[in-house]
Amino acid sequence: MSFSRVTGQQRAKAQIGAWFASGRVPHTVLISGQEGVGKRRLALELAKAISCRQRPGDGCDTCPSCIKADTLSHPNIHVLLPLPTGTSRSTTDAEQFSALREAALEYMAGGTVARSGSNLPKDHLMLLQREMSFAPTEAPKRVAIIFEADCMQRAGANSLLKILEEPPRHAVFLLVSAAADRLLPTVLSRCQRLPLRALAASEVREQLVAAGVATERADLAARLSQGNRIRPATVGGDDFAARRDLVERFMDSALHGREEDYWALLEDLGGRPDKQQMEGFFELFSAYLRDLFLLDLQGPSRVANVDRVDRLADWSNRVDSRRLDGVARSLDAAFDSQRYNVNPQLLLAELWQQLRRSGAVNN
Ligand SMILES: [Zn+2]
């Protein structure tokens, strides 16, 4: 039992090992844990371990079964993930499966799912149910992986419950969720839990470097993912650099009291940024805010944005740290409000004012 492609998670791996050793892999497993801990990878490796006949219980990575699993083309491994609402309409089963596979490949490569405006629709769950009811053809079992399993509306949730209430004997369902508490209690009660714990910074770094990310970036990602809601995998991308630039300009303009810079920044953000953009912005802002607290309390060695220590020090000199609590509260409120379609410009303006006031004493 090695699951070598999954970083850390010794306890979960031991649990899986025990299941295979006793010949009792549960019908339904819930893989939970915060963003970036390796849930996707673990789910796929578990599906491989169930399907591989060369090294059952682990997966050999080289047999046809493992290779098909890795490319998400195994006929007995089915993957579901939320797609934007409306994409499932008026297409054939084959087209839907191919759309799902496309999306899942991107997702496995670190892509994100726009959770708002997307869900696991009832049609897809029923499609899955039908597929899972057939006997497996190339593996001992059929495995279904349902990513972002909490991301469904009532109709979807009820379909899922129906499936889990009477699972076919040869079926294994792997539910994956970073917000498991949002699942129906009746669904939860049918799952064997497999919680993944937060990775240590060194483990995140190791994971990224193994995936080919430059050491410096890996280091930043490792630090940013500690205690923040930032997926390490997103730190490498171009859009991350752009978002970072926006957040830094936002903070800079507030703490230097330069309103014209703020307006310029809004223009660059574009008319009406979507929820995903806003969420990304707030998450990163939150990381900088946390750095300001850390810098104040523990000095520069603990900050996440290691390559921005000078800038942080400048901001830190400008803020009255006692007022940062107010900024943090304002940020929490903004996080909540953007979920309910509150105008993003309004949220940003409020946050900016709050931040500006925290710096006003020294301006
Ligand atoms: Zn294999």
Side-chain angles (χ1 to χ4, degrees), residues 261-277:
D261 290 355
Y262 173 68
W263 295 117
L265 169 135
L266 274 192
E267 222 154 89
D268 291 349
L269 244 180
R272 197 178 170 117
D274 63 27
K275 281 188 194 175
Q276 213 182 352
Q277 259 178 300

Side-chain angles (χ1 to χ4, degrees), residues 48-49 51-56 58-67:
K48 278 162 72 180
S51 311
C52 177
R53 294 187 200 266
Q54 296 295 320
R55 276 179 73 183
D58 191 2
C60 68
D61 291 336
T62 52
C63 75
S65 169
C66 285
I67 290 171

Side-chain angles (χ1 to χ4, degrees), residues 250 254 262-263 266 278 282 285 326-335 337 342-358:
F250 182 87
Y262 173 68
W263 295 117
L266 274 192
M278 290 304 290
F282 289 141
F285 180 87
V327 181
R329 275 195 300 277
S330 175
L331 176 65
D332 282 345
F335 246 122
S337 306
V342 177
N343 181 349
Q345 308 233 0
L346 211 67
L347 299 177
L348 287 172
E350 227 165 83
L351 190 58
W352 193 86
Q353 288 297 350
Q354 192 75 34
L355 185 62
R356 186 178 175 174
R357 275 198 292 277
S358 81

